[in-house]
Amino acid sequence: MNFRTLDLNLLRVLDAVMSEGSLTRAAQTLAMTQPAVSHALKRLHDAVGEELFVRSAHGMKPTPLALSLWPQVRDALGTLRQALAPDSFDPRSDAVQLRIAMADATAALLAPGLVARIEQSQALVNLRVLPLTTRDPRKLLEGGEADLAVGFFPEAVAEIVAQGHDTALRRARLYDTRYVCVMRRGHPLADAPLTVDSFCAAHHLLVSFSGRAFGYVDLALQGLGRTRRVVLTVNQFFTAGRVVAQSDLLTVLPEGFVEATGGGPELVTRELPLTLSPVTVEMLWHLRHDTTPAHRWLREQVRGAAADRRPAPAA
């Protein structure tokens, strides 16, 4: 490759396709047509003498060469961008679409605050909330399907911490909450403290993104040599709230999610008769968005919305 004759605009195309994982989304980001992006990739392929992407069922899959080039291209473009336009994003004039993966209860807690902040700042940003169907959103972020993931991701966070500087993901803690037992008002167990015996004797509803009928509560009970009967497994907190409000099933939810289930005054909470780890709600994002002004702006809004909804400390 002759670097002196290389059109450096082709590197912006490489960066956009790597970030978006799709010719269509890359074209939108670059304000180009899809054929123009495709033609630019062909020119870049010709310049480097190797294929950089292959088509797959999930979009454009980068080759090993593209994967090795991208971090350096990304860093170089980021340095230039910061030098030439360090604060180039203006939410009032720059119309962008950003995607957040969240569970329904998390969205119910944060979306009102996010909308208020967008409206108050007269931002042209459009937010898409994507359904979260996993406790490990790393593939969504690495594949460019989501720009940000918000939720409780203990296993993913543990691996990110273990990888240290080698990880491609970034994280920030938003707030902590805890698990509580939730039941309908007037439930036979609502007027007295729960015991392990009464808890295990009851019938339960489990919220499971994967559909697997075994969760953190079951793991804790297993350590005590006990089990429970899970009558129903659902993948949405709102559904859980409606079912529990109209039945004698118990469920276990993060305390801050109870209001967001739609049950409201129909539900009561009780302390669990077993110990579960605290629920740490975090946001995760890919390093390719770490310094992007629009994405930094989004993370600031999420932090603000989370602080507004953060439960007050116990007296």
Side-chain angles (χ1 to χ4, degrees):
M1 180 181 70
N2 187 342
F3 182 78
R4 290 166 52 187
T5 61
L6 177 67
D7 182 354
L8 297 183
N9 284 318
L10 302 181
L11 299 181
R12 293 181 61 241
V13 174
L14 170 66
D15 178 52
V17 177
M18 287 293 294
S19 297
E20 300 296 340
S22 158
L23 290 181
T24 300
R25 292 197 297 268
Q28 293 171 346
T29 299
L30 295 166
M32 298 170 62
T33 65
Q34 184 173 326
V37 172
S38 181
H39 179 66
L41 280 185
K42 183 179 184 305
R43 290 175 58 202
L44 189 57
H45 293 166
D46 293 341
V48 300
E50 291 184 40
E51 289 291 317
L52 294 170
F53 297 92
V54 293
R55 293 185 182 275
S56 73
H58 302 291
M60 301 299 289
K61 181 180 178 181
T63 64
L65 176 60
L67 290 171
S68 67
L69 286 176
W70 187 42
Q72 300 174 65
V73 169
R74 186 76 177 176
D75 289 345
L77 291 175
T79 300
L80 285 172
R81 188 179 297 111
Q82 289 300 307
L84 297 173
D87 299 308
S88 59
F89 176 68
D90 183 350
R92 293 172 298 178
S93 59
D94 296 337
V96 296
Q97 180 171 272
L98 299 168
R99 300 155 298 167
I100 310 177
M102 292 190 284
D104 64 312
T106 312
L109 288 169
L110 299 184
L114 287 171
V115 170
R117 288 168 177 274
I118 291 173
E119 297 287 276
Q120 289 167 7
S121 62
Q122 298 181 344
L124 296 181
V125 173
N126 296 321
L127 292 184
R128 288 179 56 199
V129 175
L130 309 179
L132 190 62
T133 58
T134 175
R135 286 287 183 198
D136 188 348
R138 285 176 292 176
K139 288 185 178 179
L140 289 173
L141 299 169
E142 291 166 353
E145 297 176 56
D147 303 311
L148 191 67
V150 178
F152 178 45
F153 311 123
E155 291 84 4
V157 167
E159 289 197 31
I160 290 170
V161 171
Q163 290 172 2
H165 295 299
D166 294 330
T167 181
L169 298 179
R170 299 290 182 264
R171 56 182 277 262
R173 189 172 74 179
L174 295 175
Y175 59 88
D176 292 334
T177 184
R178 64 188 183 122
Y179 283 112
V180 291
C181 183
V182 182
M183 64 191 77
R184 67 171 176 84
R185 193 170 297 279
H187 191 285
L189 298 178
D191 295 328
L194 285 175
T195 65
V196 172
D197 287 339
S198 62
F199 182 80
C200 291
H203 289 177
H204 294 257
L205 178 151
L206 171 66
V207 179
S208 170
F209 294 158
S210 67
R212 182 168 174 254
F214 189 91
Y216 295 112
V217 171
D218 303 285
L219 190 61
L221 288 174
Q222 190 177 68
L224 299 175
R226 306 295 295 270
T227 60
R228 63 174 177 162
R229 167 91 193 281
V230 176
V231 175
L232 180 65
T233 301
V234 300
N235 66 356
Q236 289 188 326
F237 292 98
F238 179 83
T239 304
R242 299 314 302 159
V243 172
V244 169
Q246 300 175 55
S247 71
D248 280 342
L249 298 185
L250 305 183
T251 192
V252 176
L253 300 176
E255 188 173 30
F257 284 2
V258 175
E259 179 185 350
T261 61
E266 300 171 282
L267 300 176
V268 296
T269 63
R270 290 293 177 265
E271 296 287 334
L272 287 168
L274 61 158
T275 301
L276 295 181
S277 299
V279 179
T280 300
V281 178
E282 306 200 43
M283 58 180 172
L284 307 182
W285 65 94
H286 199 279
L287 65 83
R288 62 175 170 263
H289 298 314
D290 203 32
T291 59
T292 305
H295 291 262
R296 289 205 313 266
W297 178 89
L298 173 62
R299 296 194 295 271
E300 289 169 5
Q301 307 317 305
V302 172
R303 283 191 185 95
D308 293 341
R309 295 298 303 173
R310 186 177 302 160

